[in-house]
Amino acid sequence: MTQKFNIIFFSEVNSKFGMPIFKMLYHDDRFNIKAFVTTPEGKLCSYYINEDNPVDLEKYAESKDIPVFRPNNINSSKFIDELSDFNPDYILIANYQKIFKKNLIELPKLKTLNFHPSPLPRYAGLAPFFWMSLNGEKNTGVSCIEVTPEIDGGDIVLQRKVRLTGNENSLEVREKLFKASFSLFNDVLDLICQGPLKTHKQDMTKRDYHSNPSQEDKTITNNDTVSSALAKLKACAPGNAYVQINDNVFKVNSVSWSQTSKTKLKLKDGRLSFFLENAL
């Protein structure tokens, strides 16, 4: 009989990255999902709030009789002891925004793996789609890595290159990298079954790390050029960018080229006309 690997799966409860991976893993007869670990009660991943077609990974797990855990501290000895009862071969992580410490990382018999939608060591950290869109990125990719205490710093298991046009907004970048990640995930499952996994170290001289974009990162001011202003609008889409005019900050609902407008912002190399509402 072919060996079945015991898996503990971690993801945000409303993750549109985690849900397809959860389903692929559940329907793969080579794996047993012994437990699902997600965010504490009432905590949602901000990426997906207010989007159409929300998902609920807790409900999915419960529908498949998979035990669900929503700990406040994933690194507590008590919680790790609970998970050890499931005798995991692997921990697999897809969009789970908490730091794993050594004892949890070393819990499974084999490895703890994370799927990150960027070409590590580039675009480590949160919100890679915003930063790729802002930078007009054309050469990107997705990664599966071993988990270490350093965020997104572990050895690489497998990567896949992805080409962009450089004109995508953040949601379009996300959709393309998610699609590539789901294909990569299936390839990694095959490698697990062929085992043992071979890895190689990241070239950390090429690492760049990004945190979640702040409102300041999304705000157009008179220090922007037309190009940098348009890049911020594109990176924020389909959400709102902001514009600062004098001492007032507004959400931007639309922007257009115009000969005249009630409100204009003089940029370094030209003007943009904004239709503004919802002053902050």
Side-chain angles (χ1 to χ4, degrees):
M1 176 182 285
T2 303
Q3 176 187 2
K4 283 196 172 188
F5 293 92
N6 291 336
I7 304 296
I8 297 176
F9 180 58
F10 283 70
S11 185
E12 304 282 317
V13 72
N14 62 327
S15 174
K16 291 186 177 180
F17 186 57
M19 179 62 92
I21 285 176
F22 202 174
K23 289 180 176 179
M24 284 188 282
L25 188 59
Y26 177 77
H27 289 289
D28 193 317
D29 292 337
R30 299 171 296 180
F31 299 90
N32 286 323
I33 306 176
K34 305 298 288 186
F36 171 56
V37 183
T38 191
T39 41
E41 293 287 345
K43 299 289 186 181
L44 296 175
C45 181
S46 61
Y47 297 164
Y48 314 103
I49 293 174
N50 298 323
E51 288 192 358
D52 294 336
N53 304 313
V55 298
D56 188 329
L57 277 69
E58 180 180 38
K59 286 185 177 179
Y60 180 78
E62 290 173 343
S63 73
K64 306 302 181 185
D65 295 322
I66 297 169
V68 176
F69 295 87
R70 306 194 72 167
N72 290 311
N73 180 5
I74 60 171
N75 295 294
S76 72
S77 57
K78 179 181 177 182
F79 179 62
I80 293 173
D81 286 344
E82 286 186 87
L83 292 187
S84 67
D85 291 340
F86 294 106
N87 195 28
D89 297 300
Y90 284 90
I91 288 176
L92 300 182
I93 308 163
N95 188 192
Y96 189 77
Q97 298 177 356
K98 289 186 181 292
I99 296 173
F100 283 58
K101 294 184 178 178
K102 186 174 184 291
N103 285 350
L104 180 55
I105 293 169
E106 295 179 351
L107 170 65
K109 286 187 288 186
L110 296 172
K111 292 183 184 295
T112 295
L113 303 180
N114 181 44
F115 293 84
H116 186 75
S118 88
L120 295 172
R122 298 177 60 229
Y123 293 102
L126 300 174
F129 318 120
F130 172 87
W131 300 108
M132 289 179 193
S133 178
L134 184 71
N135 295 336
E137 186 65 64
K138 292 184 178 180
N139 297 302
T140 185
V142 296
S143 307
C144 174
I145 63 169
E146 289 189 78
V147 175
T148 66
E150 181 178 10
I151 298 173
D152 297 334
D155 291 352
I156 292 170
V157 176
L158 192 64
Q159 292 184 303
R160 176 162 292 175
K161 293 180 179 179
V162 178
R163 286 282 294 169
L164 302 174
T165 66
N167 295 317
E168 292 90 351
N169 65 35
S170 60
L171 181 59
E172 291 167 337
V173 173
R174 188 181 95 182
E175 289 175 344
K176 291 182 179 181
L177 294 189
F178 276 13
K179 182 179 179 180
S181 293
F182 301 149
S183 178
L184 179 80
F185 181 75
N186 275 325
D187 291 343
V188 171
L189 294 188
D190 289 341
L191 290 177
I192 286 173
C193 294
Q194 294 164 18
L197 290 179
K198 297 179 181 179
T199 63
H200 65 274
K201 293 191 177 299
Q202 297 187 43
D203 182 354
M204 300 305 274
T205 65
K206 298 180 179 178
R207 177 179 169 92
D208 58 75
Y209 181 88
H210 299 278
S211 59
N212 248 333
S214 65
Q215 184 175 306
E216 183 178 356
D217 294 319
K218 300 178 180 181
T219 299
I220 298 164
T221 72
N222 56 10
N223 291 321
D224 278 294
T225 63
V226 170
S227 294
S228 65
L230 291 175
K232 288 181 181 180
L233 290 163
K234 175 169 64 73
C236 292
N240 294 105
Y242 301 87
V243 61
Q244 181 174 345
I245 299 175
N246 299 321
D247 293 328
N248 296 313
V249 178
F250 303 89
K251 285 184 180 179
V252 181
N253 292 319
S254 63
V255 60
S256 68
W257 301 104
S258 176
Q259 295 298 316
T260 60
S261 176
K262 292 181 180 180
T263 306
K264 285 187 177 180
L265 177 66
K266 177 68 174 178
L267 304 176
K268 282 186 175 181
D269 56 354
R271 291 177 181 268
L272 283 181
S273 300
F274 294 91
F275 299 87
L276 309 169
E277 62 182 33
N278 299 332
L280 298 181

